[in-house]
Amino acid sequence: GENVEQHPSTLSVQEGDSAVIKCTYSDSASNYFPWYKQELGKRPQLIIDIRSNVGEKKDQRIAVTLNKTAKHFSLHITETQPEDSAVYFCAALFGNEKLTFGTGTRLTIIP
Amino acid sequence: NAGVTQTPKFRILKIGQSMTLQCTQDMNHNYMYWYRQDPGMGLKLIYYSVGAGITDKGEVPNGYNVSRSTTEDFPLRLELAAPSQTSVYFCASTAADGVMNTEAFFGQGTRLTVV
């Protein structure tokens, strides 16, 4: 079935260091992979997304890489700041209809 | 634009009661989704709809029903509430056209407690 696995479930990094979160998906036909950030008590909000026709996308300190052959994609946050502390979710669109999320990564930035 | 609006924001139900969570969007999005988020957990897909009159089950549909009579509204119905349905419920919508998919916008969530 359609499934997205996300690792790690928790991640602590020193302020200024980089953070990497990884996801794998089950359906090789999936073509859209967004990343969402959810702050405590708030709704998830899109931070970056990537489509299957590119291997990497960058937006300032945030980048996403996609390996379609291996069916995995990763979020990279560089020069982390305290405001990066949140829960991050990866997602994949299955059958061009079903937006399925990973289990989330709680990122803590240590000052 | 208001975006995606959910009502109510909070609700306490007794076991066996029923209720409808309302979700409406003013962005003319064709795709709409309902998720539940248990404490400290991820977003699990309950039901989704790709357009008015079309609904489909997600990962955890048992105990819920949906309808999509208009593009704007996608209500979620809980029949015979159970403690296991205590969760935060999020509605989301996107303008996905089946080829190029765009950002999914979330409502502010409904925190439901069943006692």
Side-chain angles (χ1 to χ4, degrees), chain A residues 10-32:
Chain A
T10 61
L11 179 62
S12 295
V13 300
Q14 291 290 140
E15 182 178 352
D17 288 350
S18 297
V20 181
I21 303 170
K22 299 181 179 181
C23 289
T24 60
Y25 58 98
S26 58
D27 185 359
S28 59
S30 298
N31 61 4
Y32 178 65

Side-chain angles (χ1 to χ4, degrees), chain A residues 55-68:
Chain A
E56 184 174 2
K57 183 177 179 180
K58 190 173 182 180
D59 182 4
Q60 299 181 358
R61 297 186 296 109
I62 295 173
V64 56
T65 58
L66 172 65
N67 183 327
K68 284 221 71 178

Side-chain angles (χ1 to χ4, degrees), chain B residues 42-53:
Chain B
L43 297 157
K44 293 186 178 179
L45 183 61
I46 305 171
Y47 271 96
Y48 66 101
S49 168
V50 300

Side-chain angles (χ1 to χ4, degrees), chain A residues 31-32 36 38 41-46 49 51 53 87 89 93 95-104 106, chain B residues 4 31 33 35 37 40-43 45 48 50 56-58 90 98-108:
Chain A
N31 61 4
Y32 178 65
Y36 283 79
Q38 186 180 31
K42 300 286 184 65
R43 71 191 80 185
Q45 292 193 303
L46 180 75
D49 58 11
R51 306 185 196 284
N53 57 345
V87 178
F89 293 98
L93 190 72
N96 283 326
E97 294 183 350
K98 191 180 293 186
L99 187 61
T100 300
F101 284 79
T103 49
R106 183 174 300 278
Chain B
V4 180
Y31 285 29
Y33 303 87
Y35 297 90
Q37 185 175 34
M41 302 294 284
L43 297 157
L45 183 61
Y48 66 101
V50 300
D56 216 335
K57 295 179 180 179
F90 285 101
V99 177
M100 294 296 287
N101 304 293
T102 63
E103 176 178 357
F105 292 88
F106 282 79
Q108 77 271 35

Side-chain angles (χ1 to χ4, degrees), chain B residues 5-76:
Chain B
T5 302
Q6 289 182 237
T7 56
K9 291 184 181 179
F10 304 94
R11 182 73 184 267
I12 299 174
L13 276 183
K14 294 185 178 179
I15 295 172
Q17 287 185 320
S18 300
M19 76 164 293
T20 299
L21 281 67
Q22 301 291 345
C23 176
T24 187
Q25 50 92 9
D26 61 0
M27 298 173 283
N28 201 33
H29 285 170
N30 50 342
Y31 285 29
M32 296 187 74
Y33 303 87
W34 274 107
Y35 297 90
R36 60 175 286 172
Q37 185 175 34
D38 299 336
M41 302 294 284
L43 297 157
K44 293 186 178 179
L45 183 61
I46 305 171
Y47 271 96
Y48 66 101
S49 168
V50 300
I54 305 170
T55 62
D56 216 335
K57 295 179 180 179
E59 182 185 0
V60 290
N62 292 344
Y64 306 94
N65 276 299
V66 293
S67 60
R68 185 92 182 273
S69 57
T70 66
T71 299
E72 295 78 18
D73 301 307
F74 190 40
L76 177 71

